[in-house]
Amino acid sequence: MENKNLKIQDLQVSISGKKILKGVSLSVKKGEVHAIMGPNGSGKSTLSYALMGHPSYKIENGSLTLNSEDINSLSPDERAKRGLFLAFQYPVTIPGVTVMNFLRNIYNKKIALTNGGKPVSIFQFNTLLKERMGLLKMEDAVAKRYVNEGFSGGEKKRLEILQLEILNPDIAVLDEPDSGLDIDALKIVSEGVNRAIEKGVGVIMITHYARILNYVKPNFVHVFIDGKVVKSGGPELAKELEEKGYDWLKG
Amino acid sequence: MTKGIAGIGEDYKYGFKTPEKYVFKSKKGLSKEVVEEISHLKGEPDWMRKFRLKSLEIFLKKPMPWWGGDLSDVNFDDIYYFIRPSDKQGRTWDEVPKEIRNTFDKLGIPEAERKFLAGVGAQYESEAVYHNLKEEWKKKGVIFLDTDTALKEYPDIFKEHFSTVVPPADNKFAALNSAVWSGGSFIYVPEGVHIEIPLQAYFRINAQNMGQFERSLIIAEPGSFVHYVEGCTAPIYSTNSLHTAVVEIIIKKGARLRYTTIQNWSKNVYNLVTKRAVAYEDATMEWVDGNLGSKVTMKYPAVFMHGKGAKADILSLTIAGKGQNQDVGGKVIHMAPHTSSNIVSKSISQNGGRSSYRGLVKVLKGAHGVKSNVKCDAMILDDKSRSDTYPYMDIDEKRVSIGHEATVSRVTDEQLFYLMNRGLSESEAAAMVVSGFIEPIVKELPMEYAVEMNRLIQLQMEGAVG
Ligand SMILES: Nc1ncnc2c1ncn2[C@@H]1O[C@H](COP(=O)(O)OP(=O)(O)OP(=O)(O)O)[C@@H](O)[C@H]1O
Ligand SMILES: [Mg+2]
């Protein structure tokens, strides 16, 4: 496997003049799973947005490199082209655009990129889509609905994972893919994430609960408090946090 | 910044010459003599000549509309009111401005169609398709002709209906059209006949539908159905700056008619059109009206619901770019009980463009059980652009249900970020959000138009963003 990785070094980010990330360093290789856990408002989503190049998030200091390329000044779509992906904590609604059309569009963009390939036909894509949706136990009717419009929390999360599987990026940040899921859905979504990992995707998984980590086995767990990684360890750290909370780590 | 389709027309070379190859061309300006001459050259019956002359009088008396777009640049003395082109069209392909030709390329419009649109070809080369359809129509007794020919060949049906829906005195531009009209479509659908394939203005031999003063008349006999489609998403190049059409539609008991227009006039054109339908008992009228081009458009398709249970559907879609004022909407007049109407208007304003929804819902006394719903959605793509709504209501009956809803939206940063995160460029992302916005109307268009429409939005966004 190629040696693909994302390196975050001393990342400091502010929004509307307020400093949120205060020096984050993290290195993720393809195929690895890094869990990030931390209290509400500690800056986890900010990290994911900054990684993807959201224009409102200002990088004050530090560097971002993907496969040895500095991506700091690249637009979100350029980052996506180079293999980054974010599953949103709060996926965005696109009224009037069907899931089917949306996914075919982004899939064809991706194909054109990878092997200069020809776009797939509507028919071909729909066959592929049906199969992938089946794996995530999504109802066929979802394909004809508008992107995230009126979706339940669980449906939104599945649609994010569906995109992860369809786009098959190098590095994916999953921002709370487990929040709001019932027990069965958690398992289904986890299986989707695991399929992606088997294909070699490197994952940063932001979560509040150790539960998902029973299904998606992390190589590393990082504790995130007040804009920084304050402690890193193995899977056992997640259990410890679940028992003790964060207070013992707050400075 | 690259220029989108909306931008074409800004650079028209007005200086390029229209070759003087016309069989006949009236003097510039409007006078009794000019009107007489038009009627004479067409060999019209006396009643039509008189009708034209009377309309001219009305036109001269009527004031200009004070609302809507700015018409102060329209100079009635500087216009040719009648030009009969020679059999071989004068304009050559090389004379069509480069911007237009490029746009045709980008849209992938077939060669024959391009020439037609640009006014080069004498007619759209679809003879084979057209021939088969014509046979079918003939078998069913359907008449589909240009309006001048219809006046000659079907004088009785013509005279019975002509000008009964839009009288010359209706407004200044209806009067103008009545005085100098030429071309347009005439359609007659006999009782109970359903035509599944839409009738396209393209198919008409000697198509003069690009004319300035076209006049269309459609009669749907009881229980019939027809869908008429005119226009195209590609820009129509016109050296004529005034397009003043009148469309009259009569839908008899239980009949249904859909009239779809997609117009993309070049940006020198004032597009001032009176479109009106009369719907009798249980009849349904559907206007689908898309306006993409022109400098000023003023167009408010109307439905007069005369018979009980009649229905009106008006779907309006406009895009206003730089220097454009799209003043559009719809009018529904509920004259009988249990009539219902539904108006959906979607507008996109960008690059300094201005779009307005202007609509009227009128319910006469005694028209109980009326239902009416109006929904205007505006999307404004930047701070230079503008959108307004002028919804007028005139309700003289208590037992009615009237709804009105207006929204203004933008393409949000969050939407752009989400879509760009999936690999779309900024302009592709914006185009996707915009296509979603107009989807409820685009899905009502014939397939090929819907595809072209989305391609057009894509081109426009390339111009608008980044
Ligand atoms: N657009 C913004 N404007 C101002 N403050 C913001 C903005 N976005 C985030 N913040 C602030 O940044 C801090 C970090 O927010 P962030 O969403 O990154 O937290 P989080 O760790 O993801 O929390 P949660 O676990 O609740 O999802 C919060 O105090 C939040 O209010
Ligand atoms: Mg968060």
Side-chain angles (χ1 to χ4, degrees), chain A residues 52 54 77 80 85-86 93 95-97 102 109 146 148 160 163, chain B residues 414-415 417-425 428 432 436-437 439:
Chain A
M52 298 302 150
H54 191 295
D77 56 317
F85 176 88
L86 169 62
T93 301
V97 177
F102 166 61
K109 276 293 271 200
Y146 298 148
N148 288 317
E160 294 297 286
Q163 294 176 63
Chain B
E414 295 319 309
Q415 288 172 324
F417 179 61
Y418 185 71
L419 296 175
M420 290 171 79
N421 184 263
R422 305 310 191 223
L424 302 183
S425 70
E428 288 166 339
M432 186 173 274
F437 173 73
E439 203 266 353

PDB file of all heavy atoms in Angstrom, chain A residues 52 54 77 80 85-86 93 95-97 102 109 146 148 160 163, chain B residues 414-415 417-425 428 432 436-437 439:
ATOM      1  N   MET A  52     -10.602  20.599   6.567  1.00  0.00           N
ATOM      2  CA  MET A  52     -11.241  20.598   5.251  1.00  0.00           C
ATOM      3  C   MET A  52     -11.204  21.957   4.567  1.00  0.00           C
ATOM      4  O   MET A  52     -11.710  22.102   3.471  1.00  0.00           O
ATOM      5  CB  MET A  52     -12.704  20.152   5.377  1.00  0.00           C
ATOM      6  CG  MET A  52     -12.869  18.755   5.900  1.00  0.00           C
ATOM      7  SD  MET A  52     -12.017  17.549   4.878  1.00  0.00           S
ATOM      8  CE  MET A  52     -11.617  16.346   6.125  1.00  0.00           C
ATOM      9  N   HIS A  54     -12.564  25.060   5.656  1.00  0.00           N
ATOM     10  CA  HIS A  54     -13.711  25.967   5.737  1.00  0.00           C
ATOM     11  C   HIS A  54     -13.208  27.410   5.802  1.00  0.00           C
ATOM     12  O   HIS A  54     -12.363  27.740   6.620  1.00  0.00           O
ATOM     13  CB  HIS A  54     -14.541  25.648   6.982  1.00  0.00           C
ATOM     14  CG  HIS A  54     -15.868  26.339   6.995  1.00  0.00           C
ATOM     15  ND1 HIS A  54     -15.985  27.713   7.069  1.00  0.00           N
ATOM     16  CD2 HIS A  54     -17.135  25.854   6.939  1.00  0.00           C
ATOM     17  CE1 HIS A  54     -17.271  28.039   7.056  1.00  0.00           C
ATOM     18  NE2 HIS A  54     -17.991  26.928   6.966  1.00  0.00           N
ATOM     19  N   ASP A  77     -12.575  21.839  -2.167  1.00  0.00           N
ATOM     20  CA  ASP A  77     -12.690  20.837  -3.233  1.00  0.00           C
ATOM     21  C   ASP A  77     -11.326  20.315  -3.659  1.00  0.00           C
ATOM     22  O   ASP A  77     -11.182  19.150  -4.029  1.00  0.00           O
ATOM     23  CB  ASP A  77     -13.477  21.390  -4.432  1.00  0.00           C
ATOM     24  CG  ASP A  77     -12.897  22.665  -4.988  1.00  0.00           C
ATOM     25  OD1 ASP A  77     -12.515  23.550  -4.186  1.00  0.00           O
ATOM     26  OD2 ASP A  77     -12.825  22.808  -6.221  1.00  0.00           O
ATOM     27  N   ALA A  80     -10.539  17.754  -1.203  1.00  0.00           N
ATOM     28  CA  ALA A  80     -11.323  16.540  -1.471  1.00  0.00           C
ATOM     29  C   ALA A  80     -10.676  15.746  -2.594  1.00  0.00           C
ATOM     30  O   ALA A  80     -10.539  14.526  -2.518  1.00  0.00           O
ATOM     31  CB  ALA A  80     -12.752  16.923  -1.836  1.00  0.00           C
ATOM     32  N   PHE A  85     -11.828  13.635   3.309  1.00  0.00           N
ATOM     33  CA  PHE A  85     -13.293  13.556   3.373  1.00  0.00           C
ATOM     34  C   PHE A  85     -13.740  13.845   4.791  1.00  0.00           C
ATOM     35  O   PHE A  85     -13.086  13.453   5.753  1.00  0.00           O
ATOM     36  CB  PHE A  85     -13.741  12.150   2.968  1.00  0.00           C
ATOM     37  CG  PHE A  85     -15.224  11.915   3.082  1.00  0.00           C
ATOM     38  CD1 PHE A  85     -16.075  12.204   2.023  1.00  0.00           C
ATOM     39  CD2 PHE A  85     -15.780  11.389   4.255  1.00  0.00           C
ATOM     40  CE1 PHE A  85     -17.448  11.987   2.126  1.00  0.00           C
ATOM     41  CE2 PHE A  85     -17.155  11.165   4.357  1.00  0.00           C
ATOM     42  CZ  PHE A  85     -17.985  11.471   3.292  1.00  0.00           C
ATOM     43  N   LEU A  86     -14.866  14.543   4.910  1.00  0.00           N
ATOM     44  CA  LEU A  86     -15.456  14.790   6.227  1.00  0.00           C
ATOM     45  C   LEU A  86     -16.902  14.321   6.256  1.00  0.00           C
ATOM     46  O   LEU A  86     -17.707  14.726   5.412  1.00  0.00           O
ATOM     47  CB  LEU A  86     -15.406  16.294   6.561  1.00  0.00           C
ATOM     48  CG  LEU A  86     -16.208  16.754   7.788  1.00  0.00           C
ATOM     49  CD1 LEU A  86     -15.706  16.119   9.075  1.00  0.00           C
ATOM     50  CD2 LEU A  86     -16.176  18.285   7.923  1.00  0.00           C
ATOM     51  N   THR A  93     -28.580  20.430   4.320  1.00  0.00           N
ATOM     52  CA  THR A  93     -29.713  20.152   3.434  1.00  0.00           C
ATOM     53  C   THR A  93     -29.534  20.850   2.086  1.00  0.00           C
ATOM     54  O   THR A  93     -29.152  22.011   2.034  1.00  0.00           O
ATOM     55  CB  THR A  93     -31.008  20.670   4.096  1.00  0.00           C
ATOM     56  OG1 THR A  93     -31.160  20.026   5.342  1.00  0.00           O
ATOM     57  CG2 THR A  93     -32.216  20.394   3.235  1.00  0.00           C
ATOM     58  N   PRO A  95     -32.041  21.463  -0.772  1.00  0.00           N
ATOM     59  CA  PRO A  95     -33.405  21.276  -1.271  1.00  0.00           C
ATOM     60  C   PRO A  95     -33.441  21.101  -2.787  1.00  0.00           C
ATOM     61  O   PRO A  95     -32.685  21.742  -3.505  1.00  0.00           O
ATOM     62  CB  PRO A  95     -34.121  22.580  -0.873  1.00  0.00           C
ATOM     63  CG  PRO A  95     -33.295  23.174   0.212  1.00  0.00           C
ATOM     64  CD  PRO A  95     -31.884  22.744  -0.063  1.00  0.00           C
ATOM     65  N   GLY A  96     -34.311  20.219  -3.232  1.00  0.00           N
ATOM     66  CA  GLY A  96     -34.523  20.065  -4.675  1.00  0.00           C
ATOM     67  C   GLY A  96     -33.511  19.175  -5.379  1.00  0.00           C
ATOM     68  O   GLY A  96     -33.673  18.875  -6.550  1.00  0.00           O
ATOM     69  N   VAL A  97     -32.446  18.777  -4.677  1.00  0.00           N
ATOM     70  CA  VAL A  97     -31.445  17.907  -5.307  1.00  0.00           C
ATOM     71  C   VAL A  97     -31.623  16.500  -4.741  1.00  0.00           C
ATOM     72  O   VAL A  97     -31.500  16.297  -3.532  1.00  0.00           O
ATOM     73  CB  VAL A  97     -30.019  18.422  -5.028  1.00  0.00           C
ATOM     74  CG1 VAL A  97     -28.983  17.472  -5.614  1.00  0.00           C
ATOM     75  CG2 VAL A  97     -29.839  19.834  -5.587  1.00  0.00           C
ATOM     76  N   PHE A 102     -27.272  13.755  -6.726  1.00  0.00           N
ATOM     77  CA  PHE A 102     -26.140  14.273  -5.970  1.00  0.00           C
ATOM     78  C   PHE A 102     -25.008  13.256  -5.937  1.00  0.00           C
ATOM     79  O   PHE A 102     -23.859  13.555  -6.284  1.00  0.00           O
ATOM     80  CB  PHE A 102     -26.616  14.622  -4.559  1.00  0.00           C
ATOM     81  CG  PHE A 102     -25.530  14.849  -3.559  1.00  0.00           C
ATOM     82  CD1 PHE A 102     -24.592  15.856  -3.733  1.00  0.00           C
ATOM     83  CD2 PHE A 102     -25.445  14.058  -2.410  1.00  0.00           C
ATOM     84  CE1 PHE A 102     -23.596  16.070  -2.794  1.00  0.00           C
ATOM     85  CE2 PHE A 102     -24.453  14.263  -1.475  1.00  0.00           C
ATOM     86  CZ  PHE A 102     -23.523  15.268  -1.666  1.00  0.00           C
ATOM     87  N   LYS A 109     -17.399  12.805 -10.603  1.00  0.00           N
ATOM     88  CA  LYS A 109     -16.266  13.716 -10.411  1.00  0.00           C
ATOM     89  C   LYS A 109     -15.052  12.921  -9.931  1.00  0.00           C
ATOM     90  O   LYS A 109     -13.938  13.113 -10.392  1.00  0.00           O
ATOM     91  CB  LYS A 109     -16.594  14.754  -9.325  1.00  0.00           C
ATOM     92  CG  LYS A 109     -17.357  15.958  -9.768  1.00  0.00           C
ATOM     93  CD  LYS A 109     -16.580  16.843 -10.695  1.00  0.00           C
ATOM     94  CE  LYS A 109     -15.746  17.898 -10.004  1.00  0.00           C
ATOM     95  NZ  LYS A 109     -15.385  19.008 -10.891  1.00  0.00           N
ATOM     96  N   TYR A 146     -34.766  14.505  -1.393  1.00  0.00           N
ATOM     97  CA  TYR A 146     -33.785  15.580  -1.511  1.00  0.00           C
ATOM     98  C   TYR A 146     -32.743  15.472  -0.404  1.00  0.00           C
ATOM     99  O   TYR A 146     -33.063  15.070   0.715  1.00  0.00           O
ATOM    100  CB  TYR A 146     -34.489  16.942  -1.456  1.00  0.00           C
ATOM    101  CG  TYR A 146     -35.475  17.150  -2.585  1.00  0.00           C
ATOM    102  CD1 TYR A 146     -36.619  17.909  -2.409  1.00  0.00           C
ATOM    103  CD2 TYR A 146     -35.259  16.569  -3.846  1.00  0.00           C
ATOM    104  CE1 TYR A 146     -37.527  18.099  -3.451  1.00  0.00           C
ATOM    105  CE2 TYR A 146     -36.155  16.758  -4.876  1.00  0.00           C
ATOM    106  CZ  TYR A 146     -37.287  17.505  -4.682  1.00  0.00           C
ATOM    107  OH  TYR A 146     -38.180  17.688  -5.709  1.00  0.00           O
ATOM    108  N   ASN A 148     -30.751  15.277   2.517  1.00  0.00           N
ATOM    109  CA  ASN A 148     -30.919  15.584   3.945  1.00  0.00           C
ATOM    110  C   ASN A 148     -32.203  16.322   4.303  1.00  0.00           C
ATOM    111  O   ASN A 148     -32.418  16.645   5.472  1.00  0.00           O
ATOM    112  CB  ASN A 148     -29.713  16.376   4.491  1.00  0.00           C
ATOM    113  CG  ASN A 148     -28.481  15.500   4.601  1.00  0.00           C
ATOM    114  OD1 ASN A 148     -28.581  14.361   5.054  1.00  0.00           O
ATOM    115  ND2 ASN A 148     -27.344  16.005   4.170  1.00  0.00           N
ATOM    116  N   GLU A 160     -24.132  10.034   5.221  1.00  0.00           N
ATOM    117  CA  GLU A 160     -22.731  10.436   5.292  1.00  0.00           C
ATOM    118  C   GLU A 160     -21.817   9.233   5.055  1.00  0.00           C
ATOM    119  O   GLU A 160     -20.836   9.310   4.317  1.00  0.00           O
ATOM    120  CB  GLU A 160     -22.404  11.088   6.650  1.00  0.00           C
ATOM    121  CG  GLU A 160     -23.093  12.419   6.913  1.00  0.00           C
ATOM    122  CD  GLU A 160     -22.682  13.499   5.929  1.00  0.00           C
ATOM    123  OE1 GLU A 160     -21.560  14.019   6.011  1.00  0.00           O
ATOM    124  OE2 GLU A 160     -23.511  13.815   5.043  1.00  0.00           O
ATOM    125  N   GLN A 163     -21.731   8.141   1.493  1.00  0.00           N
ATOM    126  CA  GLN A 163     -20.810   8.950   0.695  1.00  0.00           C
ATOM    127  C   GLN A 163     -19.361   8.553   0.933  1.00  0.00           C
ATOM    128  O   GLN A 163     -18.549   8.532   0.013  1.00  0.00           O
ATOM    129  CB  GLN A 163     -21.010  10.437   1.007  1.00  0.00           C
ATOM    130  CG  GLN A 163     -22.368  10.937   0.569  1.00  0.00           C
ATOM    131  CD  GLN A 163     -22.608  12.376   0.964  1.00  0.00           C
ATOM    132  OE1 GLN A 163     -21.907  13.270   0.506  1.00  0.00           O
ATOM    133  NE2 GLN A 163     -23.579  12.601   1.823  1.00  0.00           N
TER     134      GLN A 163
ATOM    135  N   GLU B 414     -22.559  27.196   4.052  1.00  0.00           N
ATOM    136  CA  GLU B 414     -22.548  25.815   4.552  1.00  0.00           C
ATOM    137  C   GLU B 414     -22.846  24.824   3.423  1.00  0.00           C
ATOM    138  O   GLU B 414     -22.255  23.752   3.349  1.00  0.00           O
ATOM    139  CB  GLU B 414     -23.557  25.640   5.698  1.00  0.00           C
ATOM    140  CG  GLU B 414     -23.223  26.437   6.960  1.00  0.00           C
ATOM    141  CD  GLU B 414     -21.739  26.413   7.317  1.00  0.00           C
ATOM    142  OE1 GLU B 414     -21.139  25.325   7.380  1.00  0.00           O
ATOM    143  OE2 GLU B 414     -21.164  27.506   7.530  1.00  0.00           O
ATOM    144  N   GLN B 415     -23.781  25.221   2.534  1.00  0.00           N
ATOM    145  CA  GLN B 415     -24.077  24.348   1.396  1.00  0.00           C
ATOM    146  C   GLN B 415     -22.868  24.231   0.475  1.00  0.00           C
ATOM    147  O   GLN B 415     -22.503  23.142   0.037  1.00  0.00           O
ATOM    148  CB  GLN B 415     -25.282  24.888   0.617  1.00  0.00           C
ATOM    149  CG  GLN B 415     -26.592  24.702   1.368  1.00  0.00           C
ATOM    150  CD  GLN B 415     -27.756  25.398   0.698  1.00  0.00           C
ATOM    151  OE1 GLN B 415     -27.607  26.482   0.125  1.00  0.00           O
ATOM    152  NE2 GLN B 415     -28.922  24.789   0.757  1.00  0.00           N
ATOM    153  N   PHE B 417     -19.746  24.656   1.234  1.00  0.00           N
ATOM    154  CA  PHE B 417     -18.685  23.917   1.913  1.00  0.00           C
ATOM    155  C   PHE B 417     -18.971  22.414   1.880  1.00  0.00           C
ATOM    156  O   PHE B 417     -18.094  21.602   1.592  1.00  0.00           O
ATOM    157  CB  PHE B 417     -18.556  24.417   3.358  1.00  0.00           C
ATOM    158  CG  PHE B 417     -17.498  23.700   4.148  1.00  0.00           C
ATOM    159  CD1 PHE B 417     -16.160  23.735   3.753  1.00  0.00           C
ATOM    160  CD2 PHE B 417     -17.827  22.982   5.301  1.00  0.00           C
ATOM    161  CE1 PHE B 417     -15.180  23.075   4.473  1.00  0.00           C
ATOM    162  CE2 PHE B 417     -16.851  22.317   6.028  1.00  0.00           C
ATOM    163  CZ  PHE B 417     -15.528  22.364   5.617  1.00  0.00           C
ATOM    164  N   TYR B 418     -20.209  22.073   2.130  1.00  0.00           N
ATOM    165  CA  TYR B 418     -20.597  20.656   2.140  1.00  0.00           C
ATOM    166  C   TYR B 418     -20.340  20.028   0.768  1.00  0.00           C
ATOM    167  O   TYR B 418     -19.722  18.979   0.650  1.00  0.00           O
ATOM    168  CB  TYR B 418     -22.078  20.550   2.508  1.00  0.00           C
ATOM    169  CG  TYR B 418     -22.603  19.141   2.688  1.00  0.00           C
ATOM    170  CD1 TYR B 418     -22.230  18.367   3.787  1.00  0.00           C
ATOM    171  CD2 TYR B 418     -23.488  18.591   1.780  1.00  0.00           C
ATOM    172  CE1 TYR B 418     -22.733  17.084   3.975  1.00  0.00           C
ATOM    173  CE2 TYR B 418     -23.994  17.305   1.956  1.00  0.00           C
ATOM    174  CZ  TYR B 418     -23.613  16.554   3.050  1.00  0.00           C
ATOM    175  OH  TYR B 418     -24.112  15.286   3.226  1.00  0.00           O
ATOM    176  N   LEU B 419     -20.810  20.720  -0.270  1.00  0.00           N
ATOM    177  CA  LEU B 419     -20.684  20.149  -1.617  1.00  0.00           C
ATOM    178  C   LEU B 419     -19.236  20.157  -2.099  1.00  0.00           C
ATOM    179  O   LEU B 419     -18.786  19.241  -2.786  1.00  0.00           O
ATOM    180  CB  LEU B 419     -21.581  20.912  -2.593  1.00  0.00           C
ATOM    181  CG  LEU B 419     -23.089  20.802  -2.289  1.00  0.00           C
ATOM    182  CD1 LEU B 419     -23.888  21.688  -3.219  1.00  0.00           C
ATOM    183  CD2 LEU B 419     -23.553  19.349  -2.405  1.00  0.00           C
ATOM    184  N   MET B 420     -18.504  21.199  -1.744  1.00  0.00           N
ATOM    185  CA  MET B 420     -17.095  21.246  -2.149  1.00  0.00           C
ATOM    186  C   MET B 420     -16.302  20.161  -1.432  1.00  0.00           C
ATOM    187  O   MET B 420     -15.363  19.594  -1.973  1.00  0.00           O
ATOM    188  CB  MET B 420     -16.494  22.632  -1.873  1.00  0.00           C
ATOM    189  CG  MET B 420     -17.048  23.704  -2.803  1.00  0.00           C
ATOM    190  SD  MET B 420     -16.559  25.358  -2.318  1.00  0.00           S
ATOM    191  CE  MET B 420     -14.868  25.400  -2.953  1.00  0.00           C
ATOM    192  N   ASN B 421     -16.715  19.860  -0.222  1.00  0.00           N
ATOM    193  CA  ASN B 421     -16.073  18.785   0.519  1.00  0.00           C
ATOM    194  C   ASN B 421     -16.249  17.446  -0.188  1.00  0.00           C
ATOM    195  O   ASN B 421     -15.497  16.502   0.023  1.00  0.00           O
ATOM    196  CB  ASN B 421     -16.669  18.722   1.931  1.00  0.00           C
ATOM    197  CG  ASN B 421     -15.973  17.688   2.787  1.00  0.00           C
ATOM    198  OD1 ASN B 421     -16.436  16.572   2.925  1.00  0.00           O
ATOM    199  ND2 ASN B 421     -14.817  18.059   3.316  1.00  0.00           N
ATOM    200  N   ARG B 422     -17.260  17.374  -1.056  1.00  0.00           N
ATOM    201  CA  ARG B 422     -17.483  16.136  -1.814  1.00  0.00           C
ATOM    202  C   ARG B 422     -16.831  16.207  -3.198  1.00  0.00           C
ATOM    203  O   ARG B 422     -17.101  15.383  -4.065  1.00  0.00           O
ATOM    204  CB  ARG B 422     -18.980  15.885  -1.989  1.00  0.00           C
ATOM    205  CG  ARG B 422     -19.775  15.847  -0.708  1.00  0.00           C
ATOM    206  CD  ARG B 422     -19.172  14.924   0.348  1.00  0.00           C
ATOM    207  NE  ARG B 422     -20.111  14.717   1.452  1.00  0.00           N
ATOM    208  CZ  ARG B 422     -19.784  14.732   2.734  1.00  0.00           C
ATOM    209  NH1 ARG B 422     -18.532  14.947   3.103  1.00  0.00           N
ATOM    210  NH2 ARG B 422     -20.693  14.523   3.655  1.00  0.00           N
ATOM    211  N   GLY B 423     -16.042  17.269  -3.405  1.00  0.00           N
ATOM    212  CA  GLY B 423     -15.258  17.325  -4.643  1.00  0.00           C
ATOM    213  C   GLY B 423     -15.794  18.247  -5.721  1.00  0.00           C
ATOM    214  O   GLY B 423     -15.201  18.355  -6.791  1.00  0.00           O
ATOM    215  N   LEU B 424     -16.919  18.922  -5.467  1.00  0.00           N
ATOM    216  CA  LEU B 424     -17.419  19.847  -6.494  1.00  0.00           C
ATOM    217  C   LEU B 424     -16.707  21.191  -6.371  1.00  0.00           C
ATOM    218  O   LEU B 424     -16.400  21.641  -5.269  1.00  0.00           O
ATOM    219  CB  LEU B 424     -18.930  20.063  -6.321  1.00  0.00           C
ATOM    220  CG  LEU B 424     -19.822  18.824  -6.384  1.00  0.00           C
ATOM    221  CD1 LEU B 424     -21.288  19.233  -6.263  1.00  0.00           C
ATOM    222  CD2 LEU B 424     -19.606  18.051  -7.675  1.00  0.00           C
ATOM    223  N   SER B 425     -16.467  21.831  -7.513  1.00  0.00           N
ATOM    224  CA  SER B 425     -15.871  23.161  -7.475  1.00  0.00           C
ATOM    225  C   SER B 425     -16.918  24.135  -6.954  1.00  0.00           C
ATOM    226  O   SER B 425     -18.101  23.809  -6.875  1.00  0.00           O
ATOM    227  CB  SER B 425     -15.431  23.582  -8.873  1.00  0.00           C
ATOM    228  OG  SER B 425     -16.584  23.819  -9.666  1.00  0.00           O
ATOM    229  N   GLU B 428     -19.660  24.635  -9.497  1.00  0.00           N
ATOM    230  CA  GLU B 428     -20.507  23.434  -9.608  1.00  0.00           C
ATOM    231  C   GLU B 428     -21.419  23.295  -8.397  1.00  0.00           C
ATOM    232  O   GLU B 428     -22.586  22.908  -8.521  1.00  0.00           O
ATOM    233  CB  GLU B 428     -19.638  22.176  -9.723  1.00  0.00           C
ATOM    234  CG  GLU B 428     -18.946  22.031 -11.061  1.00  0.00           C
ATOM    235  CD  GLU B 428     -17.848  20.974 -11.038  1.00  0.00           C
ATOM    236  OE1 GLU B 428     -17.343  20.636  -9.933  1.00  0.00           O
ATOM    237  OE2 GLU B 428     -17.477  20.503 -12.122  1.00  0.00           O
ATOM    238  N   MET B 432     -25.416  23.418  -8.401  1.00  0.00           N
ATOM    239  CA  MET B 432     -26.237  22.325  -7.879  1.00  0.00           C
ATOM    240  C   MET B 432     -27.332  22.863  -6.960  1.00  0.00           C
ATOM    241  O   MET B 432     -28.487  22.452  -7.035  1.00  0.00           O
ATOM    242  CB  MET B 432     -25.371  21.302  -7.153  1.00  0.00           C
ATOM    243  CG  MET B 432     -26.176  20.086  -6.715  1.00  0.00           C
ATOM    244  SD  MET B 432     -25.177  18.769  -6.023  1.00  0.00           S
ATOM    245  CE  MET B 432     -24.680  17.883  -7.483  1.00  0.00           C
ATOM    246  N   GLY B 436     -31.371  22.793  -7.710  1.00  0.00           N
ATOM    247  CA  GLY B 436     -32.312  22.265  -6.726  1.00  0.00           C
ATOM    248  C   GLY B 436     -33.439  23.247  -6.475  1.00  0.00           C
ATOM    249  O   GLY B 436     -34.601  22.876  -6.376  1.00  0.00           O
ATOM    250  N   PHE B 437     -33.070  24.509  -6.440  1.00  0.00           N
ATOM    251  CA  PHE B 437     -34.063  25.561  -6.196  1.00  0.00           C
ATOM    252  C   PHE B 437     -35.140  25.591  -7.285  1.00  0.00           C
ATOM    253  O   PHE B 437     -36.324  25.741  -7.006  1.00  0.00           O
ATOM    254  CB  PHE B 437     -33.330  26.907  -6.119  1.00  0.00           C
ATOM    255  CG  PHE B 437     -34.244  28.100  -6.039  1.00  0.00           C
ATOM    256  CD1 PHE B 437     -34.951  28.381  -4.880  1.00  0.00           C
ATOM    257  CD2 PHE B 437     -34.390  28.939  -7.130  1.00  0.00           C
ATOM    258  CE1 PHE B 437     -35.796  29.480  -4.807  1.00  0.00           C
ATOM    259  CE2 PHE B 437     -35.230  30.039  -7.072  1.00  0.00           C
ATOM    260  CZ  PHE B 437     -35.932  30.309  -5.902  1.00  0.00           C
ATOM    261  N   GLU B 439     -35.840  23.107  -9.313  1.00  0.00           N
ATOM    262  CA  GLU B 439     -36.262  21.760  -9.683  1.00  0.00           C
ATOM    263  C   GLU B 439     -37.776  21.572  -9.777  1.00  0.00           C
ATOM    264  O   GLU B 439     -38.277  20.942 -10.716  1.00  0.00           O
ATOM    265  CB  GLU B 439     -35.641  20.744  -8.714  1.00  0.00           C
ATOM    266  CG  GLU B 439     -35.521  19.352  -9.248  1.00  0.00           C
ATOM    267  CD  GLU B 439     -36.692  18.464  -8.885  1.00  0.00           C
ATOM    268  OE1 GLU B 439     -37.568  18.885  -8.084  1.00  0.00           O
ATOM    269  OE2 GLU B 439     -36.745  17.350  -9.407  1.00  0.00           O
TER     270      GLU B 439
END
